[in-house]
Amino acid sequence: MNDKDLQNLVETVSLESFGKPFLHQAYFNARLRTTGGRYMLSSHHIEINKKYFEQLGMDELIGIIKHELCHYHLHLEGRGYKHRDQDFRLLLKKVGAPRFCSSLPDRPMRSQSKKVLIYACKECNQIYRRRRAVDTKRYVCGKCKGKLVLEKELTKD
């Protein structure tokens, strides 16, 4: 699928799902990494991440197009086009568009940190659990301003 095919698809989906024409441009943007698509407020163009089509197929692509067209049509009508607006959420439901796109299979999920660092204050024995290391030369106990020391490092299974 190329940009011309995408433009035709967006125009078709707009007429079928919204009953309104799409009068601007839709194209693939290879630089999009964390999102399926985006609606540009200033130019009214729609950019789509081609990886979503390649890895998840036509149904996912149409869902992303519907989502971006919700932003497009509401913005042009002067209604609430942002994710938190009720107009936007109602239109998403009406046309069957997803609120969020699926995650890509080739992009691994960021896993929770497996280690836990236990720090203790030398003065008052206050315990601090952290996932990231604390600079003990720079930071002190929040309770008594005493010196912090690394007690132990735990790893979760």
Side-chain angles (χ1 to χ4, degrees), residues 114-118 129-130 152-156:
K114 301 283 185 201
K115 68 178 182 178
V116 176
L117 303 167
I118 310 290
R129 294 172 179 265
R130 296 289 180 267
K152 55 183 152 179
E153 186 175 325
L154 304 174
T155 53
K156 295 179 183 175

Side-chain angles (χ1 to χ4, degrees), residues 10-11 13-24 39 44 46 65-81 88 91 95:
V10 171
E11 290 172 2
V13 169
S14 183
L15 284 173
E16 289 175 359
S17 297
F18 297 86
K20 299 172 188 170
F22 177 71
L23 304 173
H24 293 84
Y39 166 64
H44 307 296
I46 291 177
I65 290 170
K66 284 182 179 179
H67 178 100
E68 299 309 324
L69 283 171
C70 287
H71 289 297
Y72 172 80
H73 289 299
L74 289 170
H75 181 245
L76 291 179
E77 292 170 10
R79 294 168 54 204
Y81 62 88
F88 181 75
L91 188 57
V95 299

Side-chain angles (χ1 to χ4, degrees), residues 1 8 34 48 66 75 84-85 94 134 138 154-155:
M1 177 175 273
N8 291 334
T34 60
I48 302 292
K66 284 182 179 179
H75 181 245
R84 66 175 178 260
D85 293 329
K94 182 180 173 188
V134 174
R138 185 173 172 198
L154 304 174
T155 53

